[in-house]
Amino acid sequence: MASPSETPKNLILIGFMGSGKSSIARELSKTLGYPVVDTDSLIVERAGKPIRKIFEQDGEEKFRDLEADTLRDLEESRPSRLIIATGGGVIARPDNCEILRRLGFVVWLVVSAEEIIKRTSKSRERPLLNNKDQRGTIDRLLSERRELYRATAHQAVETDGLTFPEITTGILESARYFFAQ
Ligand code: S3P
């Protein structure tokens, strides 16, 4: 296992749908000047169609295969000084979790079910939440995934009630400490 000082200086954001990964990634990018890479966008490019269509036409397993291939390619490109935003289900495959930890400092954006509902209820772009029982789906997925997020992340950051700049400041402090070890 590489020590933190040998780990590439990427910041990786994991967390449930609606935890603010894309917005926090942009905020971190503004502060650090590192480009943002969004694994969902790479998947869309690779598949040549939106995520909603991949789920509809090819199914979730195919999406997960694309997600795993995308992460493997990202690691092979030996990235450094990137902000990497991931899809909420990336932690479903153990290989993905190992790649993420090798790629840099992994931050879990922790968010409550109430906040997730507020942030995702209007979006139609999240196939897993396109059903009548959104709250039930969120509760089930959260309970399946919470331990996986915790085990994958180097740091958990609470987000409820905090502004993006407040969250970003906390992440930067933790990252500085991590890479200095
Ligand atoms: C998913 C989250 C989505 C996207 C896909 C599956 C999930 O990304 O990868 O719809 O399984 O939680 P966001 O977390 O960016 O919404």
Side-chain angles (χ1 to χ4, degrees):
M1 205 61 203
S3 73
S5 60
E6 291 162 340
T7 304
K9 288 197 174 33
N10 301 299
L11 295 188
I12 298 123
L13 301 176
I14 64 172
F16 205 79
M17 292 171 268
S19 59
K21 291 164 295 195
S22 306
S23 309
I24 301 289
R26 280 195 296 274
E27 196 73 31
L28 285 166
S29 171
K30 263 197 267 167
T31 310
L32 292 173
Y34 297 0
V36 175
V37 167
D38 184 316
T39 58
D40 278 348
S41 306
L42 296 178
I43 294 167
V44 168
E45 264 174 45
R46 188 181 273 261
K49 52 187 163 188
I51 290 177
R52 184 175 39 80
K53 279 245 163 73
I54 305 174
F55 271 75
E56 263 168 35
Q57 296 174 354
D58 313 311
E60 180 172 352
E61 271 315 290
K62 174 68 184 173
F63 174 81
R64 298 294 166 209
D65 289 343
L66 289 165
E67 191 169 48
D69 292 346
T70 298
L71 271 189
R72 265 195 300 272
D73 284 0
L74 186 58
E75 186 179 31
E76 270 173 24
S77 73
R78 301 181 141 268
S80 176
R81 295 188 158 80
L82 290 184
I83 314 292
I84 303 172
T86 59
V90 73
I91 39 63
R93 292 202 179 169
D95 284 356
N96 293 352
C97 301
E98 285 175 24
I99 292 177
L100 293 176
R101 285 179 68 90
R102 286 198 297 268
L103 273 173
F105 182 58
V106 184
V107 176
W108 170 28
L109 299 178
V110 184
V111 62
S112 65
E114 289 70 27
E115 198 60 36
I116 293 168
I117 286 274
K118 273 195 232 158
R119 295 189 198 163
T120 59
S121 56
K122 292 207 177 67
S123 161
R124 313 216 97 256
E125 286 308 310
R126 293 187 168 98
L128 292 177
L129 299 182
N130 263 349
N131 60 56
K132 291 219 178 67
D133 185 17
Q134 269 204 6
R135 178 60 199 243
T137 309
I138 289 170
D139 286 343
R140 177 178 56 78
L141 287 174
L142 266 180
S143 75
E144 282 171 19
R145 292 177 175 180
R146 204 170 275 120
E147 275 315 305
L148 298 170
Y149 291 129
R150 193 190 312 283
T152 305
H154 294 107
Q155 180 80 36
V157 173
E158 296 289 337
T159 64
D160 278 19
L162 296 179
T163 64
F164 291 144
E166 285 165 350
I167 298 164
T168 302
T169 306
I171 293 173
L172 289 172
E173 271 169 24
S174 311
R176 218 165 281 135
Y177 181 75
F178 173 82
F179 287 116
Q181 282 175 317

